[in-house]
Amino acid sequence: MYVVIMAGGKGVRLRPYTSVLPKPLVPIGDNHAILEIILYQLAARGFSQVTLAINHLGSLIRAFVGDGSRFGLRVDYLEEGAPLSTIGPLFGMRDRLPEHFLVMNGDVLTDLDYADLLATHVRSGAPLTVATYRRSVKIDFGVLEAEGDKIIKFNEKPVLDYRVSMGVYGLSARTIANYQPGRAFGFDELVLDLLRKGEPPTSYDFSGYWLDIGRPEDYDEANRCFAEVEPILLPAGVARPHVEVNTVTAAQPNRISPVSTAD
């Protein structure tokens, strides 16, 4: 099974952390980077081949992951000459893509069964399968509905439920066959294109653990609760040596040193 991990973004919402580290290498807990956890999970679920799409501080990701052998994976790289968003990098690598594959962001913490998502996508025959998660948003105001100058409805601080994308997708090669390589193209644009064509994506609803490390408050939450969720995130029985990303300065952008966890 094959997966493409999008790891080229600048992570602007997580600055200053991402000024010196790419977001997938931001540490979680004391011992692990986000990308490290993802790679262990993929290997445990039976994935064998990974392509990392890199750009911002991509040399650090190359140094961290290498050829993937320490994770039990084969890893290669697609280096973006310019930012291509979340789907655009796939257009220039169609010759190496299988018929069905997984695409995911490199900053997702979840215990989602990636293999089941891909198998469900294949069975569905859909052009795209989106892992989705229910989020509740509390509105801190009384919400009014009016017709002209007359208030006709009032709801005090409502809670709205939404299904949101988890940043993990099952995709088929035919779905992206006609897009021009080198084009910046986002997941949102692909979904809208498919809806316009009358080819709706399928939802893979998930209710386990999921956290997108996109905002400082999410990153703080991940570190706060990591000791509790580590057993469900890291596969049982997996050897867990890690690579410690040392403090990186502008003068030393590539300092990454392997550290053994053995005492």
Side-chain angles (χ1 to χ4, degrees), residues 28-29 211 217-229:
I28 299 293
L211 191 60
E217 54 266 39
D218 295 326
Y219 178 57
D220 291 342
E221 171 64 14
N223 278 291
R224 185 195 65 77
C225 68
F226 185 73
E228 302 168 24
V229 299

Side-chain angles (χ1 to χ4, degrees), residues 140-240:
D140 291 328
F141 303 95
V143 176
L144 305 172
E145 187 175 331
E147 288 183 357
D149 61 353
K150 306 296 185 183
I151 294 173
I152 61 170
K153 190 174 181 181
F154 174 76
N155 195 350
E156 174 64 14
K157 298 181 179 178
V159 176
L160 305 179
D161 288 326
Y162 297 95
R163 275 279 167 190
V164 300
S165 168
M166 294 172 58
V168 188
Y169 326 111
L171 191 59
S172 298
R174 63 180 172 84
T175 306
I176 58 170
N178 297 320
Y179 292 99
Q180 184 66 32
R183 175 183 179 184
F185 198 76
F187 164 76
D188 55 333
E189 295 171 280
L190 179 62
V191 171
L192 292 172
D193 255 9
L194 291 172
L195 292 175
R196 278 192 292 267
K197 294 174 184 175
E199 301 176 8
T202 294
S203 174
Y204 181 95
D205 298 344
F206 179 70
S207 59
Y209 179 82
W210 173 69
L211 191 60
D212 181 346
I213 311 300
R215 303 172 302 172
E217 54 266 39
D218 295 326
Y219 178 57
D220 291 342
E221 171 64 14
N223 278 291
R224 185 195 65 77
C225 68
F226 185 73
E228 302 168 24
V229 299
E230 183 178 8
I232 68 170
L233 293 178
L234 280 167
V238 145
R240 300 178 187 177

Side-chain angles (χ1 to χ4, degrees), residues 229-249:
V229 299
E230 183 178 8
I232 68 170
L233 293 178
L234 280 167
V238 145
R240 300 178 187 177
H242 70 279
V243 172
E244 180 177 288
V245 182
N246 292 333
T247 301
V248 181
T249 66

